[in-house]
């Protein structure tokens, strides 16, 4: 297990900026006017600190708009000069880094496709040695936390301590209304591995559609994420990439106005004592749940022995279907969601099968030894 905690030296560079760190700008820089108009409209609102824009676009299939390249960096310099916004671009190879440094881009980010490839990440880390550039690392496309951690470690080892992670969701293998599934447990685990690592949420690439961006952004804030990166375009309907998920500057302004920033805790004694007593109740219920689960597993083992004695298979499909159907109905009556109960039962059933397999294998092995 990588010791991300060892890189707790990660400087809280984002704290230098206001929290939450707000980043906005188009998916891609398309023209000087589009970049400048978007940046000026965003800067006027006085909320966003960093202007994002893709200059080199990683496209899944060839033939799509692949970015304007170096000239876009000049437009970003112009943005900085005219609006005071900091700038950030995606870099995917050492030449990108060289150019981004040449044009004084403030922050670099690594895209989801690049994070997935340790060779590419290592090349980026090597060519960043000696520069004091903050780097934000997007999660890899697949929900592999080790790849994400590994990329952060490669930068850290190269002496880049101004690091942040960007959570942009994971490729969905099943049909979903979101473009990428958030799997919030993964950024939460990353945070618990390294408390000082800022994690920024990218609700645009999670949503894939402007409709879901506000709720994803709010959820990220309620999970104590350190910032948001939101794709914003002066005229999204004419965008050359990610048209459906870009907000207009006005929509961005409305979203940020409605966003509720809750604090981790308050210094209010009443609040603390009520919370503590409710947590005591939860602790006690959890204790009961664990005891009940343990009792259930004891019976599962007993059944395992009984099945073994009678040479009966572990999986009894009819019984399993009956369990699911009855529990779903019972759960519904108790106000528990079908999805939750189904997942919970599947987990319990998997563990039960595992237990019975162990029991049966043990009995079979003893029998074999006796027969020797
Ligand atoms: C982007 O930010 O425009 C982008 C290409 O994102 P991702 O790497 O998350 O797909
Ligand atoms: Mn995009």
């Amino acid at each position: 297990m990588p010791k991300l905690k060892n890189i707790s030296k990660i400087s809280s560079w984002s704290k230098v900026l206001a929290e939450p760190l707000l980043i906005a700008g188009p998916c891609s820089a398309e023209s000087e006017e589009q970049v400048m108009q978007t940046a000026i409209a965003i800067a006027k609102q006085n909320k966003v600190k960093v202007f994002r824009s893709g200059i080199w676009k990683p496209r899944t299939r060839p033939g799509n708009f692949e970015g304007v390249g170096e000239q876009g960096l000049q437009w970003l310099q112009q943005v900085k000069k005219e609006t005071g916004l900091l700038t950030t671009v995606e870099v995917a190879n050492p030449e990108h880094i060289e150019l981004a440094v040449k044009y004084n881009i403030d922050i670099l980010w690594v895209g989801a496709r690049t994070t997935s490839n340790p060779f590419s990440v290592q090349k980026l880390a090597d060519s960043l040695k000696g520069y004091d550039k903050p780097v934000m690392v997007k999660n890899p496309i697949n929900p592999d936390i080790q790849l994400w951690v590994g990329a952060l470690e490669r930068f850290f080892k190269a002496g880049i301590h101004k690091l942040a992670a960007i959570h942009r969701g994971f490729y969905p293998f099943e049909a979903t209304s979101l473009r990428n599934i958030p799997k919030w447990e993964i950024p939460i685990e990353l945070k618990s591995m390294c408390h000082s690592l800022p994690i920024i949420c990218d609700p645009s690439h999670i949503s894939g559609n402007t409709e879901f961006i506000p709720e994803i952004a709010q959820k990220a804030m309620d999970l104590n994420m350190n910032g948001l990166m939101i794709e914003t375009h002066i005229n999204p309907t004419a965008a050359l990439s990610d048209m459906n998920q870009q907000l207009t500057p006005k929509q961005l302004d409305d979203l940020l106005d409605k966003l509720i920033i809750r604090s981790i805790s308050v210094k209010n004694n009443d609040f603390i004592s009520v919370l503590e007593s409710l947590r005591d109740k939860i602790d006690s219920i959890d204790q009961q749940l664990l005891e009940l689960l343990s009792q259930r597993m004891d019976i599962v083992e007993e059944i395992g022995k009984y099945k073994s004695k009678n040479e009966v298979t572990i999986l009894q499909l009819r019984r399993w279907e009956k369990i699911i159907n009855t529990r779903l109905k019972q759960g519904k009556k108790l106000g528990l969601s079908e999805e939750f109960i189904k997942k919970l039962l599947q987990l319990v059933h998997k563990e039960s099968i595992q237990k019975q397999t162990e029991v049966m294998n043990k009995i079979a092995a003893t029998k074999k030894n006796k027969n020797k």
Side-chain angles (χ1 to χ4, degrees):
M1 186 61 119
K3 300 238 164 23
L4 243 199
K5 274 199 194 105
N6 288 350
I7 60 178
S8 58
K9 253 197 346 200
I10 286 179
S11 48
S12 46
W13 61 276
S14 77
K15 297 227 169 69
V16 178
L17 313 160
E19 282 224 46
L21 172 58
L22 299 177
I23 306 170
C27 176
S28 306
E30 297 161 5
S31 70
E32 188 172 354
E33 300 77 65
Q34 170 251 5
V35 168
M36 289 315 298
Q37 286 173 12
T38 309
I40 289 167
I42 290 173
K44 252 193 217 151
Q45 300 161 7
N46 238 337
K47 293 170 185 143
V48 167
K49 287 278 178 303
V50 183
F51 185 75
R52 64 147 279 154
S53 181
I55 298 293
W56 303 281
K57 299 304 296 176
R59 306 314 298 263
T60 307
R61 307 275 303 272
N64 290 321
F65 175 64
E66 295 194 333
V68 294
E70 187 171 350
Q71 59 173 330
L73 296 171
Q74 292 172 8
W75 306 336
L76 288 178
Q77 272 199 324
Q78 188 74 3
V79 164
K80 194 172 168 174
K81 203 167 130 208
E82 285 193 24
T83 65
L85 290 169
L86 298 177
T87 53
T88 182
V89 294
E90 173 177 352
V91 289
N93 62 41
E95 296 85 74
H96 294 166
I97 291 187
E98 204 181 299
L99 284 166
V101 169
K102 179 175 153 197
Y103 286 91
N104 286 320
I105 298 300
D106 298 289
I107 304 166
L108 308 177
W109 95 74
V110 178
R113 288 156 195 81
T114 309
T115 308
S116 308
N117 183 344
F119 287 130
S120 302
V121 173
Q122 193 56 53
K123 274 192 186 153
L124 292 180
D126 290 341
S127 48
L128 269 169
K129 271 186 191 147
Y131 293 122
D132 189 31
K133 286 276 175 216
V135 177
M136 307 187 291
V137 182
K138 285 202 173 192
N139 65 256
I141 302 270
N142 50 328
D144 181 346
I145 190 166
Q146 300 300 344
L147 261 183
W148 203 2
V149 170
L152 288 156
E153 283 178 326
R154 285 176 200 278
F155 286 109
F156 191 81
K157 279 189 165 178
I160 297 127
H161 294 179
K162 290 177 181 164
L163 287 171
I166 301 180
H167 168 234
R168 49 79 80 199
F170 303 90
Y171 181 78
F173 289 98
E174 290 152 20
T176 138
S177 50
L178 297 171
R179 181 177 176 188
N180 289 294
I181 18 173
K183 286 193 162 286
W184 297 101
E185 65 279 13
I186 292 187
I188 290 173
E189 191 176 342
L190 184 67
K191 191 76 175 177
S192 66
M193 287 166 101
C194 183
H195 292 194
S196 59
L197 177 73
I199 304 185
I200 290 156
C201 180
D202 170 350
S204 310
H205 289 87
I206 293 177
S207 307
N209 189 310
T210 52
E211 190 187 335
F212 306 112
I213 295 176
E215 66 185 84
I216 301 284
Q218 184 61 55
K219 173 131 188 187
M221 291 298 94
D222 290 337
L223 292 177
N224 290 322
M225 294 217 175
N226 305 81
L228 296 169
M229 182 193 247
I230 302 180
E231 286 191 336
T232 309
H233 190 295
I234 194 70
N235 181 12
T237 51
L240 298 181
S241 61
D242 287 351
M243 169 198 279
N244 297 332
Q245 68 189 36
Q246 300 202 62
L247 300 182
T248 61
K250 166 85 175 78
Q251 287 172 320
L252 175 74
D253 199 32
D254 289 347
L255 182 156
L256 295 177
D257 271 347
K258 289 192 188 120
L259 202 65
I260 305 166
I261 311 291
R262 301 180 167 99
S263 49
I264 300 181
S265 62
V266 283
K267 286 193 180 71
N268 169 330
N269 285 339
D270 284 349
F271 168 79
I272 292 168
S273 75
V274 170
L275 191 66
E276 270 175 7
S277 79
L278 290 173
R279 282 179 174 165
D280 284 346
K281 283 187 190 164
I282 293 267
D283 289 348
S284 139
I285 292 173
D286 279 354
Q287 177 69 25
Q288 292 174 52
L289 276 176
L290 293 177
E291 278 164 12
L292 285 174
L293 278 173
S294 160
Q295 285 172 27
R296 193 188 193 281
M297 286 306 159
D298 288 345
I299 298 176
V300 162
E301 277 188 30
E302 212 177 306
I303 294 180
K305 285 179 200 155
Y306 197 59
K307 281 179 182 166
S308 174
K309 207 169 150 192
N310 290 279
E311 303 288 7
V312 168
T313 58
I314 294 177
L315 182 66
Q316 301 284 320
L317 206 53
R318 288 240 170 83
R319 166 72 179 155
W320 169 233
E321 284 168 357
K322 195 174 164 200
I323 288 184
I324 287 271
N325 290 335
T326 53
R327 291 1 171 217
L328 285 185
K329 276 187 202 137
Q330 290 165 343
K332 201 170 172 190
K333 276 191 200 147
L334 295 166
L336 297 164
S337 91
E338 194 167 296
E339 194 196 347
F340 169 62
I341 295 300
K342 207 167 170 182
K343 275 193 188 152
L344 185 70
L345 286 173
Q346 279 169 339
L347 214 61
V348 170
H349 191 235
K350 195 175 158 201
E351 180 69 13
S352 305
I353 288 178
Q354 175 64 23
K355 278 256 174 298
Q356 294 196 345
T357 309
E358 280 165 21
V359 167
M360 284 203 178
N361 286 348
K362 212 166 142 190
I363 296 174
T366 344
K367 257 192 204 161
K368 217 171 153 190
N369 277 344
K370 269 191 195 155
N371 293 339
K372 262 187 198 168

